[in-house]
């Protein structure tokens, strides 16, 4: 599987988990889904930060879009830290 296909698949999984959390009826189910979501986001963030973004920067330089993506990932990390 290509790395970009994996990242797209992970985006879809995260979106699905957010939808499930929004419709969860019990706190225990919501917590379990959140833990699954957090694990997926941490793995996804690691792939993008360690592999994908550096390759993009090497190829294109630091673009506004890449900088924005890095900031957004920082917000995700901070939000997960606060939620935990």
């Amino acid at each position: 599987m290509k790395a970009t296909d994996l990242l797209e698949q992970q985006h879809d999984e995260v979106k699905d988990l957010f939808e499930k959390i929004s419709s969860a009826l019990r706190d225990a189910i919501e917590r379990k889904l959140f833990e699954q979501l957090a694990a997926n986001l941490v793995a996804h963030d690691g792939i993008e930060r360690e592999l994908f973004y550096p390759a993009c920067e090497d190829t294109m330089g630091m673009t506004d879009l890449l900088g924005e993506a890095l900031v957004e990932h920082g917000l995700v990390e901070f939000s997960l830290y606060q939620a935990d």
Side-chain angles (χ1 to χ4, degrees), residues 1-18 37 39-48 73:
M1 175 182 284
K2 294 187 330 186
T4 52
D5 292 338
L6 175 61
L7 292 173
E8 287 181 25
Q9 178 183 334
Q10 289 176 331
H11 282 187
D12 292 341
E13 290 171 4
V14 166
K15 181 180 176 186
D16 184 52
L17 285 167
F18 271 117
L37 173 67
N40 284 357
L41 286 172
V42 168
H44 179 80
D45 182 67
I47 292 169
E48 287 190 341
H73 275 264

Side-chain angles (χ1 to χ4, degrees), residues 26-78:
R26 295 192 339 235
D27 288 342
I29 293 171
E30 188 175 279
R31 177 70 183 174
K32 183 178 178 181
L33 289 169
F34 176 79
E35 289 171 359
Q36 186 179 354
L37 173 67
N40 284 357
L41 286 172
V42 168
H44 179 80
D45 182 67
I47 292 169
E48 287 190 341
R49 281 190 177 273
E50 299 296 322
L51 302 171
F52 190 71
Y53 292 156
C56 289
E57 186 176 3
D58 288 346
T59 302
M60 303 180 307
M62 180 54 73
T63 65
D64 288 344
L65 185 59
L66 182 55
E68 182 180 331
L70 289 168
V71 169
E72 287 177 357
H73 275 264
L75 292 172
V76 168
E77 289 174 7
F78 181 71

